[in-house]
Amino acid sequence: LRVNGLTLFCTMSNKRLIYTFLFSLGLLGVFGYVVFTKSDEMGRQNMPVQAGIADTTVTEYWHAPDASTLENHPDKASILYGKDLIARTAYYLGPKGSVAQTTNGMNCQNCHLDAGTKVFGNNYGSVFANYPKYRPRSGTKENIQKRVTDCFERSLNGKAPDSSSVEMKAIVAYINWLGKDVTKGEKAAGSGFKDIAFLDRPADPEKGKMVYVQKCQSCHQLNGEGVKAADGIVYTYPPLWGEHSYNIGAGLYRLASFAKYVKYNMPYGASYLNTQLSDEEAWDLAAFVNSQPRPSKDLKKDWPKTEEKPFDHPFGPYADGFTEIQHKYGPFQPIKDKLDAMKKQKDGAKQKKQTS
């Protein structure tokens, strides 16, 4: 008898020994398989979710209204024009715009993906339901026109259309139509950005550079300048830094916003269902991109109440006692904890004063 390359001589006296030996090997194999499989399953349960593994959380997320509902809509033409302005801003208002030349050449949908309709792609789903509202950055109650103006002045580093213009009215009409089915005062699931866990260390621009080279540079290029379409008017891949990118007052200049944006939307083809970056890669990439040169902006009037500045706002002064460098790169959890405690104390004092 030959087993695993060994020859066993089967005499009457050793047959029983051989059969016993083979049977024991079989039992050991089954036992080993069960133990190894169970250990592997337990190990997997304790492993963190990694990049490339789909988010299978069952939730009914917001989605844009069906286009067929526009068929008999009195503002159909304006809404469709508004959508085109969001998707192809540069064609109308870029450096070679057909209406005006007032922006850096990026499109609104470079930040608000799929014309503001992508789940966790910074969509407009809950805008109509929540405006007008108080915004700490300006310290005032803002309407949608003011919010759109901010995007033009910061992300597009330019000048917004006048509030009475056809273009502004069309953009607002489109945003309102997108959010028409969301209950007033509520935030629809899938709006804005999906949260990402804090790091227990500062985000690292050098590590982020390696991520950029490996996963971003092929589209956004060596110097972050992006790639323009053949017509030279609109960007196929937008600039991430430099004179044609967003300025230091834009929302994406805050590390948390940028990290959430790329985690669930980049590289191209990624989504909340199929991420391609780990949390660490997203934070480090944000640190690298937002460490590169870009247009400036006078921010003296921003955040008039310093205690309302967010944990990742990179410009002082602050009421929380942390430095500018930590506000830019983190770690952010200690700052957020301090801000939450300050707000709780302030709210408690206010409530006590009202009841006394």
Side-chain angles (χ1 to χ4, degrees), residues 16-17 35 79 107 115 123 132-133 155 175 190 207 220 245 268 282 285 307:
R16 184 173 298 173
L17 178 62
V35 172
I79 291 169
N107 298 318
N123 65 59
K133 73 173 185 179
S155 298
I175 291 174
K207 290 182 179 179
H220 297 283
S245 188
Y268 183 77
L285 178 60
E307 70 273 16

Side-chain angles (χ1 to χ4, degrees), residues 70 72-80 173:
L70 279 175
N72 298 311
H73 198 291
D75 294 327
K76 177 182 177 180
S78 182
I79 291 169
L80 291 178

Side-chain angles (χ1 to χ4, degrees), residues 90 96 108 134 150 196-197 201 206 240 276 327 349:
K96 298 180 180 179
C108 295
Y134 172 78
D150 273 358
I196 182 173
R201 61 167 175 83
E206 288 302 312
L240 298 185
Q276 297 183 37
H327 271 275

Side-chain angles (χ1 to χ4, degrees), residues 158-325:
K159 182 180 179 181
D162 187 81
S163 60
S164 62
S165 68
V166 172
E167 285 67 38
M168 180 63 83
K169 289 179 179 178
I171 290 172
V172 172
Y174 174 62
I175 291 174
N176 289 351
W177 175 74
L178 284 179
K180 68 184 182 67
D181 299 321
V182 179
T183 303
K184 274 290 186 181
E186 292 187 4
K187 182 180 179 181
S191 296
F193 295 125
K194 186 174 171 63
D195 284 334
I196 182 173
F198 287 135
L199 299 182
D200 58 3
R201 61 167 175 83
D204 188 334
E206 288 302 312
K207 290 182 179 179
K209 182 178 181 179
M210 292 189 287
V211 178
Y212 181 82
V213 170
Q214 293 169 1
K215 301 186 178 184
C216 312
Q217 185 172 292
S218 60
C219 292
H220 297 283
Q221 302 300 290
L222 176 64
N223 298 309
E225 70 270 27
V227 176
K228 279 197 172 183
D231 60 18
I233 297 175
V234 67
Y235 281 99
T236 301
Y237 302 108
L240 298 185
W241 66 84
E243 62 178 325
H244 300 295
S245 188
Y246 56 88
N247 66 41
I248 62 171
L252 284 182
Y253 191 64
R254 288 171 50 194
L255 239 61
S257 296
F258 194 102
K260 294 173 187 178
Y261 178 82
V262 295
K263 168 70 177 182
Y264 298 106
N265 296 289
M266 295 294 155
Y268 183 77
S271 71
Y272 76 98
L273 289 171
N274 185 30
T275 60
Q276 297 183 37
L277 297 174
S278 68
D279 289 357
E280 285 197 333
E281 287 176 325
W283 281 110
D284 290 337
L285 178 60
F288 169 68
V289 171
N290 281 338
S291 295
Q292 305 309 305
R294 65 183 61 259
S296 187
K297 181 176 173 58
D298 185 355
L299 304 178
K300 291 188 183 72
K301 294 182 179 180
D302 282 7
W303 311 100
K305 297 179 181 179
T306 55
E307 70 273 16
E308 292 182 340
K309 283 186 177 181
F311 59 83
D312 59 344
H313 183 68
F315 303 109
Y318 304 109
D320 53 40
F322 291 90
T323 64
E324 280 193 349
I325 196 72

